[in-house]
Amino acid sequence: MPNIASSACAKLILLGEHAVVYGQPALAIPFSSQRIKATVEPLIGSPSGLIRIIAPQLGLDTPLEELSEDNLIAQALTLSLEALELTQRPTCVLRIHSSFPFASGLGSSAAITIAIARAISSFVGHPLPVEEVNAIAFKTEQLMHGNPSGIDNTVIAYERPLVFTKGFPVEFVTPGDTFHFIVADTGVKKSTALTVAQLAQHRLEHPQRVDSVILKIGNLVGVGSRALLSGDNVALGLAMTDNQGYLHELGLSSPELDTLINKALEAGSLGAKLTGGGQGGHMIALVNEADISTIQQALLDAGAKTIYTTRLEKA
Ligand code: PMV
């Protein structure tokens, strides 16, 4: 069998994270320049069915059997092999490399699963269709996060801008203009399972207050996705900054995120907010192309650990 290399992109939630867990829509885009790569090579001369996993960024160089059952890579491989209904496991080495940090709001857990499902299924000559890859990644998200909405696996599997609402068909969105974004890392890692669980607890204690904020976030997603469609940068930016206000109210921001978001706005961003699970991880700012370098510098001066730029092309 030939060597196979597959990959999956990172993702950025423009509007609606957390509220999406409670049935509100959310707007997400692929972050295609940042990827997790999975390569599979045959392991000649090794016992049949042995799968060796090498993932230096996760401190792993081990046979599949030695990973605990709840390990994300073990889950991704096991579910993919089950979906392939193979009578015999392939004998191979699986290498994983990510260009972006884990546990920081960019969808690394869904991207790892999707890269693995694509690579192992191509290696055995039966590439899994996007719907199956998406379903496998939703299962690993459930194992890792407890109560995921499904937005991460969906936007990463399809790699297209979309509005996601739990239990409803995905709505793909075609941008009416080119949108430029700056993404900055606070350098603080945070587990999404934890922030999702904290919000669930907060909601139990203050159901009306939390639900009214969740609803307001959902309404902003409607405004923002129409702005994306019509190419209205200013309206999308305003919706993002308003969304950040609500996320802050729900306790999902952090001092590091607040600093970067405020600096980006002071330096001329059209809108800025946290992206993903929050309380750390990354922030995202919508910017005019002409302001990119000024805002990047302002974010670096304010302590951003890594800066990326990305754009959504007018279709
Ligand atoms: O932190 P991430 O990249 O896993 O983003 C999670 C998005 C949430 O809305 C917070 C959770 C979810 O499952 O939708």
Side-chain angles (χ1 to χ4, degrees):
M1 285 178 202
N3 292 1
I4 291 290
S6 297
S7 70
C9 64
K11 66 97 219 303
L12 296 163
I13 299 183
L14 296 187
L15 294 166
E17 51 273 272
H18 285 285
V20 68
V21 173
Y22 298 97
Q24 294 299 319
L27 176 62
I29 61 170
F31 189 5
S32 295
S33 62
Q34 299 305 314
R35 308 193 75 86
I36 291 183
K37 189 170 165 193
T39 55
V40 187
E41 300 151 28
L43 248 186
I44 296 146
S46 294
S48 170
L50 183 115
I51 302 182
R52 179 175 162 206
I53 294 142
I54 303 182
Q57 291 158 306
L58 296 167
L60 284 180
D61 182 349
T62 181
L64 173 59
E65 283 66 34
E66 284 176 24
L67 290 180
S68 66
E69 258 182 41
D70 58 1
N71 177 280
L72 173 63
I73 295 175
Q75 290 290 344
L77 267 171
T78 308
L79 289 167
S80 302
L81 293 169
E82 272 171 26
L84 289 162
E85 296 178 3
L86 299 178
T87 47
Q88 209 190 350
R89 275 186 180 182
T91 308
C92 59
V93 52
L94 166 70
R95 291 176 203 273
I96 293 165
H97 179 268
S98 179
S99 71
F100 64 95
F102 301 114
S104 46
L106 300 183
S108 57
S109 56
I112 286 187
T113 302
I114 291 174
I116 291 175
R118 285 178 175 156
I120 199 79
S121 64
S122 299
F123 181 72
V124 300
H126 297 286
L128 288 167
V130 62
E131 297 77 17
E132 267 193 80
V133 166
N134 190 19
I136 291 171
F138 183 58
K139 283 191 195 150
T140 59
E141 289 290 276
Q142 283 176 310
L143 293 159
M144 300 312 293
H145 291 322
N147 185 23
S149 62
I151 189 169
D152 284 14
N153 47 284
T154 305
V155 67
I156 293 170
Y158 289 94
E159 206 167 334
R160 287 175 62 186
L162 52 84
V163 173
F164 176 89
T165 312
K166 221 161 121 173
F168 287 87
V170 172
E171 290 169 53
F172 295 108
V173 187
T174 308
D177 193 5
T178 299
F179 292 83
H180 296 269
F181 299 96
I182 299 179
V183 178
D185 190 358
T186 60
V188 179
K189 297 229 183 273
K190 202 74 190 185
S191 140
T192 301
L194 194 81
T195 58
V196 168
Q198 272 181 20
L199 181 61
Q201 182 58 34
H202 190 37
R203 186 165 173 262
L204 276 180
E205 288 158 15
H206 306 282
Q208 281 165 347
R209 201 188 308 161
V210 170
D211 280 346
S212 92
V213 178
I214 285 174
L215 192 65
K216 287 181 199 161
I217 293 177
N219 291 337
L220 279 179
V221 176
V223 174
S225 42
R226 283 193 292 277
L228 194 77
L229 265 172
S230 66
D232 189 341
N233 269 269
V234 172
L236 179 60
L238 289 174
M240 288 170 66
T241 305
D242 286 351
N243 191 166
Q244 172 61 20
Y246 294 133
L247 289 163
H248 192 276
E249 201 175 323
L250 293 175
L252 294 161
S253 198
S254 71
E256 295 84 359
L257 281 165
D258 292 346
T259 302
L260 295 184
I261 290 163
N262 291 334
K263 288 289 170 197
L265 291 172
E266 278 167 29
S269 291
L270 298 166
K273 62 183 275 293
L274 66 85
T275 186
Q279 288 185 0
H282 289 74
M283 57 77 72
I284 180 166
L286 175 64
V287 300
N288 286 317
E289 192 175 9
D291 298 329
I292 291 177
S293 53
T294 314
I295 298 169
Q296 270 183 317
Q297 194 54 53
L299 287 167
L300 283 171
D301 293 346
K305 299 292 177 281
T306 312
I307 306 253
Y308 312 83
T309 55
T310 184
R311 66 180 177 196
L312 204 50
E313 297 283 352
K314 178 180 159 80

